[in-house]
Amino acid sequence: MSQFLIYFQLGLKHILNIYSYDHILFLIALAIPLSFKDWKRILLLVTTFTVGHTVALLLSVYGVIAVKVAVVELLIPVTILIVALFHLFTAGKSGKKESINLIFFITLFFGIIHGLGFSNYFKSIHHGTITSKLLPILEFGLGIEAGQLAVILVFLIIAYIVQTVFRFSKRDWTLVVSAFIIGVVLPMIIGNEIWLR
């Protein structure tokens, strides 16, 4: 049980960490058009991310795949940018739900990329045998899942307050939050060390 708590808490802290704000930004970008009534979709999106993250972590830890850190660090904000731009340009439009498959694909892709980005750190803290790595990765994944649900819950509460108490329309809320996220991730993309080579 103590090992479970160690890796679960590691996953939880990986999400609920001020230095992991790119991860939090992606979760917020996903949840921009959603509300509490969309809880099934939210749960599916979060779990899709966790599955992608866990699969990529497994593939990397077992040496099946390797990607340069600079490439991963560029792809993470690019994926956030894609989701935010999508919501920015589709804010208030009907028929937006038809494109949910694109959001699930991007969510899975982001999970894979982020899992690859975290794999070097995970390798450095866990030096066990091949078989002993599987359970800690799954326990870590559960912590990731719990942390993501906590972030989205807080965001949905804020969204509810802004849209009911301060009378923001859903469209205006989507535009403001999407623009904010774009403003944060563009410098991350432009400042990536890959451009300096």
Side-chain angles (χ1 to χ4, degrees):
M1 188 63 180
S2 60
Q3 179 185 293
F4 170 78
L5 284 176
I6 289 169
Y7 287 103
F8 180 84
Q9 287 177 353
L10 184 64
L12 199 61
K13 289 175 183 175
H14 177 58
I15 301 299
L16 304 178
N17 180 345
I18 193 65
Y19 299 109
S20 297
Y21 67 93
D22 57 336
H23 199 138
I24 293 169
L25 282 175
F26 183 76
L27 292 170
I28 291 171
L30 274 183
I32 290 171
L34 303 175
S35 61
F36 286 109
K37 66 180 170 56
D38 302 311
W39 68 270
K40 287 181 183 176
R41 185 180 302 174
I42 291 166
L43 192 57
L44 195 55
L45 283 169
V46 169
T47 303
T48 300
F49 175 89
T50 305
V51 167
H53 191 286
T54 304
V55 167
L57 199 54
L58 283 166
L59 292 174
S60 180
V61 165
Y62 288 117
V64 177
I65 189 169
V67 180
K68 290 183 179 179
V69 174
V71 173
V72 173
E73 287 179 358
L74 175 65
L75 290 175
I76 288 172
V78 165
T79 311
I80 300 167
L81 180 66
I82 290 168
V83 176
L85 284 171
F86 173 77
H87 291 313
L88 186 72
F89 289 113
T90 59
K93 294 183 180 176
S94 59
K96 188 174 172 182
K97 290 183 180 179
E98 296 171 2
S99 56
I100 194 66
N101 289 337
L102 175 65
I103 299 298
F104 281 111
F105 172 76
I106 291 172
T107 303
L108 183 65
F109 178 72
F110 182 85
I112 291 168
I113 294 301
H114 205 84
L116 291 173
F118 191 73
S119 62
N120 286 336
Y121 175 74
F122 195 86
K123 287 177 196 174
S124 73
I125 62 166
H126 187 66
H127 301 289
T129 63
I130 290 177
T131 53
S132 71
K133 291 178 183 177
L134 180 61
L135 194 56
I137 289 173
L138 296 177
E139 293 162 349
F140 176 77
L142 287 174
I144 292 271
E145 183 88 354
Q148 291 180 142
L149 289 172
V151 168
I152 289 185
L153 177 64
V154 169
F155 176 74
L156 290 179
I157 290 169
I158 293 169
Y160 178 79
I161 292 168
V162 168
Q163 292 177 53
T164 54
V165 176
F166 298 105
R167 306 283 184 188
F168 260 61
S169 69
K170 190 168 190 173
R171 180 182 176 276
D172 289 346
W173 172 250
T174 302
L175 291 172
V176 168
V177 177
S178 297
F180 170 77
I181 291 171
I182 291 165
V184 173
V185 297
L186 277 177
M188 292 168 66
I189 295 168
I190 295 166
N192 186 277
E193 65 180 56
I194 206 165
W195 308 118
L196 302 175
R197 295 179 182 184

